[in-house]
Amino acid sequence: MSKRDFYEVLGVAKTASEKEIKKAYKKLAMKFHPDKNPDDPTAADKFKEVKAAYEILTDKEKRAAYDQFGHNAFENPGMGGGQRGGHHGFGQQGGYSDFEDIFGGAFGDMFSNARGGRGGFGGRHSTRPQKGEDLQYTMEIDLEDAINGASRVIDLPVFEGNTQTNKKLNIKIPAGIEDGGRIRLTGKGHPGINGGSQGDVYIQMNILPHPRYTREGNNLLCKATTDFVTAALGGKVEVNTLGGAISLKIPEGTQNGRKFRLKGKGVTDRKGNTGDLIVQLVIETPLNLSERQKELLNEFAAA
């Protein structure tokens, strides 16, 4: 069966930048990852195909060879023009078909002839150790957990050496982490190349919307309601903060929508900086007034 064009696999143009290729790869790798598709027997093959395309098209020299010779650059000795049995090109021992067989294992074995300095592009391929690819996952957390910190036990697919396995990991969410903030698990990513260290696992925080509070930087925003009498004559309004209820003093003549800033009642971030709680006052209009109440309001309006 003929192999699909690598650019077609990733859904990018032949002029695509490395950034565009990486973006397409991440999207498709998450879509076809076998752990996310346990009931789809074709997912593993699609995942391998996407991975293979990414590895070739993000390497400048391999991409150049692919653009010139296509898949033959990695399947035939000498990239279609060398001697059979010689050491030109990538050679059969380090070809693309071998990569399919060892996918998920030590990627450093891929193109072993070329990396050994005997083939490829005149032996110019680096044999230096390279760190393995990082993995990234998303975790949804409540605003309270983001502000106060928490611990979670989650089941993640990680690498132990060259073997991918599902493992329960204790994740400590630091107090004050922001939306999109990441936690790093060192050495749990893809295996390194040529003896390089393993990649890391990054867990990105997605903070769920809160029914009462909105976070802006280190500040928290909320609303508090009061009646028009308290707003007009002054008084106190109870405000529920994440640390408990407090009493907010309202001066007479307060208008609807006025904001009050409570210093130091916001979020303390991971650097120790603390924001404020900003309370917006909402003045409620009374409903179902009695006749006597209406009379009093009319007298007030006339006065």
Side-chain angles (χ1 to χ4, degrees):
M1 180 182 297
S2 61
K3 295 181 176 67
R4 286 204 299 156
D5 179 80
F6 280 153
Y7 293 100
E8 179 185 341
V9 169
L10 295 179
V12 298
K14 290 189 176 182
T15 56
S17 65
E18 183 174 346
K19 183 178 180 181
E20 291 172 327
I21 291 172
K22 287 182 177 180
K23 182 178 179 181
Y25 162 70
K26 288 181 179 180
K27 180 179 179 180
L28 293 173
M30 291 184 66
K31 178 180 179 180
F32 294 124
H33 197 289
D35 292 332
K36 293 183 176 290
N37 301 274
D39 299 325
D40 185 359
T42 68
D45 289 336
K46 293 177 182 177
F47 183 76
K48 291 178 184 179
E49 185 180 42
V50 168
K51 179 71 173 177
Y54 168 76
E55 294 291 354
I56 297 299
L57 298 184
T58 53
D59 184 298
K60 291 183 180 179
E61 292 184 336
K62 293 172 191 167
R63 182 177 180 178
Y66 179 76
D67 287 344
Q68 185 173 1
F69 300 105
H71 291 293
N72 288 334
F74 313 107
E75 293 178 341
N76 297 328
M79 295 181 289
Q83 298 176 353
R84 296 189 181 274
H87 298 304
H88 302 285
F90 287 107
Q92 291 177 328
Q93 293 180 356
Y96 174 74
S97 59
D98 285 347
F99 169 56
E100 288 188 324
D101 294 336
I102 64 172
F103 181 79
F107 180 63
D109 290 340
M110 182 183 178
F111 310 124
S112 57
N113 286 350
R115 293 192 182 278
R118 298 183 298 171
F121 301 95
R124 292 195 299 270
H125 285 275
S126 172
T127 59
R128 292 179 299 176
Q130 299 178 38
K131 181 182 177 182
E133 184 182 351
D134 296 332
L135 299 175
Q136 181 164 299
Y137 301 96
T138 300
M139 176 188 293
E140 293 186 338
I141 59 174
D142 296 327
L143 179 61
E144 288 88 347
D145 290 339
I147 294 174
N148 301 319
S151 293
R152 292 285 183 273
V153 177
I154 59 176
D155 196 12
L156 282 182
V158 297
F159 283 87
E160 296 288 352
N162 293 332
T163 304
Q164 185 175 2
T165 180
N166 275 26
K167 189 173 183 179
K168 292 189 180 298
L169 300 173
N170 184 27
I171 307 300
K172 293 188 179 297
I173 303 170
I177 193 167
E178 68 281 1
D179 187 45
R182 300 193 301 174
I183 300 171
R184 184 176 71 175
L185 305 178
T186 304
K188 297 297 183 182
H190 280 281
I193 300 171
N194 296 328
S197 60
Q198 284 192 219
D200 303 325
V201 170
Y202 287 92
I203 302 177
Q204 181 170 306
M205 299 295 115
N206 179 21
I207 301 177
L208 298 171
H210 194 277
R212 294 195 308 274
Y213 301 99
T214 301
R215 179 176 175 177
E216 291 186 359
N218 289 340
N219 293 332
L220 287 177
L221 284 64
C222 71
K223 293 182 179 180
T225 59
T226 190
D227 57 79
F228 76 97
V229 175
T230 302
L233 301 180
K236 293 183 178 180
V237 174
E238 186 177 88
V239 177
N240 291 318
T241 72
L242 293 176
I246 61 172
S247 182
L248 177 64
K249 185 177 180 180
I250 303 299
E252 64 178 53
T254 296
Q255 299 299 303
N256 183 58
R258 179 174 174 178
K259 295 179 180 180
F260 297 85
R261 183 181 294 269
L262 304 180
K263 290 286 188 179
K265 296 295 184 181
V267 180
T268 300
D269 63 22
R270 289 189 280 180
K271 295 181 179 179
N273 303 311
T274 303
D276 304 325
L277 174 63
I278 300 173
V279 182
Q280 184 177 25
L281 196 65
V282 177
I283 301 174
E284 293 183 326
T285 301
L287 302 174
N288 302 319
L289 294 174
S290 67
E291 292 301 320
R292 177 57 181 158
Q293 288 171 326
K294 292 178 181 179
E295 289 177 4
L296 292 172
L297 284 177
N298 284 325
E299 291 176 10
F300 173 77

